[in-house]
Amino acid sequence: AVITVFTSTPLNFFAPVGENCVSVIGDLPCQPCCNKTCQFNHYDCTKLPKPQEIINIVNKLSENKTYSV
């Protein structure tokens, strides 16, 4: 299984494809921005998703259940 977490990078260009590939991105209006530095100076995208969300995804994948974000 592959789990990718996207911050400022566009998901649609770099997300892995295939079975059991899950891509996660936060739900912020400024994402994706493709910048190395935050124009709003808060870097909130680097704080998402929360660790528990990733743990939940890993648990679902390890149970061989289909998971979609």
Side-chain angles (χ1 to χ4, degrees):
V2 175
I3 301 171
T4 54
V5 177
F6 288 85
T7 55
S8 64
T9 307
L11 176 98
N12 55 336
F13 291 122
F14 300 105
V17 293
E19 250 182 77
N20 289 327
C21 291
V22 177
S23 297
V24 183
I25 189 166
D27 188 21
L28 298 172
C30 54
Q31 281 180 293
C33 69
C34 302
N35 295 323
K36 291 182 181 180
T37 57
C38 180
Q39 64 183 348
F40 302 108
N41 213 26
H42 57 57
Y43 296 92
D44 286 349
C45 66
T46 63
K47 301 169 190 161
L48 297 171
K50 299 292 183 194
Q52 187 60 51
E53 185 178 349
I54 300 300
I55 291 168
N56 293 343
I57 293 169
V58 169
N59 289 338
K60 295 245 183 201
L61 288 172
S62 68
E63 295 169 0
N64 291 324
K65 293 182 180 178
T66 303
Y67 188 85
S68 59
V69 176

